[in-house]
Amino acid sequence: MRLLLFFFLFSGTLQAQGSVHDFLLGGTARILDDECIQLTPDMPYVSGSAWYEDAIDLSKAFEMVICLVLGEKDAEGADGIVFVFHPAMRTGYRGEGMGFAGLVPSLGIEFDTYQNFHLGDPEADHLAIMPNGRAHHALSMLGPIGLPNLEDGARHSLRIIWDPAITQLEIYLDGELRGYTQVDIVKDIFGGNPLVFWGATAATGRLSNLQAICIKKLVYAAVE
């Protein structure tokens, strides 16, 4: 499997091109080559995270395009990837926690590929926006929203757009708007602090998949 990684950082003007070496890796995450980061290998009971080393300012708009790879095993695969904003660079609980559970305060955009009945998961792979490392969908800010099968070995393009002027977060998957919500992330999640880190976490439990990310485009104001 070969993932193309194109990473551009804009803050007013074009800055130096980033690389996979600009990420702090945790757990089982590792650089496969100069183009991609594997979050979890296809083995049970592991978790991994990849955090970009520079903080982001949520008081300013951003656009990110990220490719998700969630493995090739469908019914026998688990558990998923979460795109996370958090004041620190850490890995949360594995398994159904997808490396995100327990991170407080935080905002997580989850792509869950395994049905945990006790968490209110639908049968299909699904998207949800989850606050403060909480995995149960009774606490979701958005969703769960059912998705087509993501465990097909393909790269799935995730586009995230944040507009602080109207406090709107939009989520596109494979070019299709899959969900949006209006929430004051800075005030309601981070207690007025706009400076946080961003990254991706993933985990496996009894079932597993190789899970990876690549970053195609970033347009945001980096913290000087």
Side-chain angles (χ1 to χ4, degrees):
M1 177 180 60
R2 185 173 179 80
L3 308 180
L4 296 180
L5 173 61
F6 300 98
F7 182 24
F8 298 91
L9 173 63
F10 294 81
S11 181
T13 58
L14 181 64
Q15 308 232 336
Q17 183 174 344
S19 77
V20 292
H21 301 288
D22 293 327
F23 289 81
L24 178 68
L25 306 184
T28 57
R30 68 182 183 92
I31 296 171
L32 295 180
D33 53 37
D34 62 353
E35 296 182 331
C36 56
I37 297 174
Q38 175 183 287
L39 297 174
T40 67
D42 184 7
M43 61 185 300
Y45 300 110
V46 296
S47 61
S49 62
W51 294 91
Y52 190 66
E53 61 185 4
D54 293 332
I56 188 172
D57 186 347
L58 293 177
S59 69
K60 298 178 173 63
F62 69 72
E63 176 184 356
M64 300 181 181
V65 181
I66 300 163
C67 285
L68 306 176
V69 176
L70 290 130
E72 299 180 344
K73 299 189 301 186
D74 187 6
E76 297 301 314
D79 271 271
I81 294 176
V82 185
F83 185 89
V84 187
F85 299 97
H86 185 53
M89 294 180 275
R90 298 191 293 125
T91 307
Y93 304 134
R94 66 190 184 190
E96 63 192 31
M98 291 178 285
F100 161 72
L103 300 184
V104 182
S106 65
L107 182 74
I109 303 171
E110 73 160 14
F111 294 86
D112 193 334
T113 60
Y114 185 76
Q115 184 179 23
N116 291 288
F117 295 97
H118 62 287
L119 297 181
D121 288 352
E123 181 179 358
D125 295 347
H126 53 277
L127 155 71
I129 298 180
M130 311 294 290
N132 297 321
R134 298 170 179 171
H136 200 291
H137 287 302
L139 303 170
S140 297
M141 299 172 67
L142 175 70
I145 298 170
L147 300 171
N149 177 39
L150 300 177
E151 297 163 292
D152 56 2
R155 288 179 289 150
H156 294 276
S157 175
L158 167 64
R159 182 183 180 205
I160 302 170
I161 300 175
W162 165 244
D163 184 349
I166 57 173
T167 63
Q168 181 161 293
L169 187 68
E170 299 177 357
I171 303 165
Y172 296 80
L173 187 67
D174 293 330
E176 181 178 344
L177 178 63
R178 288 291 183 174
Y180 69 92
T181 186
Q182 287 188 295
V183 57
D184 191 334
I185 299 174
V186 175
K187 177 183 176 182
D188 296 343
I189 301 295
F190 297 110
N193 175 27
L195 307 181
V196 297
F197 293 96
W198 64 269
T201 68
T204 67
R206 179 178 57 86
L207 303 179
S208 62
N209 252 323
L210 184 152
Q211 300 172 117
I213 61 167
C214 69
I215 298 171
K216 299 181 68 175
K217 183 172 89 170
L218 282 178
V219 183
Y220 75 91
V223 177
E224 301 295 339

